[in-house]
Amino acid sequence: MQRYFVGEPYHDGEWVSISGEDHHHIVRVMRMQEGSELFVVFPDQSSAIGKIERISSDAVDVSIVEWESDKKEMPISVTIASGLPKGDKLEWILQKGTELGASGFIPFKAERSIVKWDEKKGKKKVERWEKIVKEAAEQSHRTLIPDLSSPLTLKELLVEAEGYDYKLVAYEEESRAGERSNLSNVLSEVKPSQRVLILFGPEGGLTDSEVELCKENGFIPCGLGPRILRAETAPLYALSAISYQLELMR
């Protein structure tokens, strides 16, 4: 069944109304009828099977049939900070990172980012990214849509990072030097509901000065194994490792 995020909390005895693009998707794309069932997800991350009771020109009214009890979210909050890569690589990170359980994404303008951020065209690009994240959250049966920031400078990102419990920076020189324990150590210490931020460079990686600045601001440098990973692969590796450690091994 299709999954839709609604913007209002559920109140017993009231119908849930779905409007906007999701209304169009239900009626015009999926061609659902009254009596059809779908999943609805609420702002508090509760979710349920719903039944369409009424379809109007601008809304679909849904009643609750059965609440879901399965937990779909990671026990911790993981935000991925990615140095702006070229092409559509960031879209890949957003889509697959959402599927793998990321709670948020912060693109940033790294020294080696080939892409130059155009503020005039930026709004439409961010809107496209938001749509990719939302659709990936629906497809993977998430109970939240990950947060997504407009691209920041590294200094702005470091200010944003102050609110996190743990901060890691993936650095290929650490991998070359054989560093293998920092990510594992953090995952053994982190408690449920704590927030983790992991920073990744663009193609060509982070510069030494960027890594030093991160370390001065409380980031722990970590390696991601003996192989050098692409800019779009490294975040997915980290999310997979976190899921394995905190969801499959506990």
Side-chain angles (χ1 to χ4, degrees):
M1 288 187 289
Q2 291 292 312
R3 196 173 192 86
Y4 298 95
F5 290 84
V6 297
E8 300 178 0
Y10 178 73
H11 301 286
D12 287 343
E14 295 185 13
W15 291 356
V16 177
S17 289
I18 301 175
S19 56
E21 289 186 4
D22 287 339
H23 168 270
H24 173 82
H25 190 268
I26 291 169
V27 177
R28 302 300 180 189
V29 179
M30 300 306 299
R31 298 187 181 278
M32 293 186 191
Q33 305 292 326
E34 292 178 359
S36 298
E37 292 188 343
L38 43 73
F39 284 107
V40 287
V41 185
F42 297 92
D44 64 357
Q45 298 186 32
S46 61
S47 59
I49 297 172
K51 183 174 73 173
I52 296 176
E53 300 289 353
R54 183 174 61 203
I55 298 176
S56 64
S57 60
D58 60 354
V60 176
D61 294 328
V62 178
S63 63
I64 300 302
V65 174
E66 180 182 355
W67 291 96
E68 282 193 293
S69 58
D70 294 344
K71 292 189 179 297
K72 305 293 177 65
E73 298 302 324
M74 280 198 191
I76 64 172
S77 171
V78 183
T79 296
I80 300 298
S82 297
L84 281 172
K86 61 184 179 181
D88 60 359
K89 292 179 181 179
L90 183 60
E91 295 183 1
W92 175 266
I93 293 170
L94 296 175
Q95 183 186 65
K96 302 308 175 187
T98 298
E99 292 178 25
L100 288 168
S103 298
F105 300 94
I106 306 176
F108 72 95
K109 307 162 192 174
E111 288 185 32
R112 289 176 176 158
S113 289
I114 297 172
V115 174
K116 300 305 178 186
W117 184 251
D118 187 338
E119 295 292 346
K120 293 182 179 178
K121 299 178 181 178
K123 183 178 178 181
K124 287 188 176 180
K125 183 160 286 191
V126 172
E127 288 175 352
R128 173 174 168 77
W129 292 346
E130 290 173 340
K131 185 175 181 181
I132 289 170
V133 168
K134 178 177 180 291
E135 290 177 351
E138 292 169 343
Q139 183 275 325
S140 56
H141 281 215
R142 297 284 301 271
T143 54
L144 67 79
I145 301 173
D147 294 326
L148 173 62
S149 167
S150 296
L152 305 178
T153 64
L154 180 56
K155 289 186 177 180
E156 290 171 334
L157 172 57
L158 294 177
V159 173
E160 184 75 17
E162 293 176 2
Y164 287 82
D165 299 292
Y166 292 91
K167 299 174 285 188
L168 294 162
V169 53
Y171 187 38
E172 62 185 31
E173 293 304 323
E174 295 292 326
S175 295
R176 290 195 178 103
E179 195 291 307
R180 299 183 181 181
S181 61
N182 284 344
L183 175 59
S184 177
N185 289 342
V186 167
L187 295 183
S188 67
E189 295 175 4
V190 66
K191 302 293 189 298
S193 300
Q194 287 189 314
R195 304 176 72 209
V196 177
L197 174 64
I198 313 180
L199 189 149
F200 301 87
E203 299 91 349
L206 298 165
T207 63
D208 291 343
S209 61
E210 286 176 318
V211 174
E212 286 304 314
L213 187 58
C214 288
K215 289 164 68 175
E216 290 171 7
N217 284 269
F219 279 76
I220 302 169
C222 69
L224 297 177
R227 292 166 293 281
I228 301 303
L229 304 176
R230 288 178 178 268
E232 69 272 27
T233 307
L236 308 184
Y237 173 96
L239 287 166
S240 299
I242 293 169
S243 175
Y244 176 79
Q245 182 72 19
L246 300 184
E247 295 183 304
L248 298 186
M249 293 297 290
R250 290 187 179 180

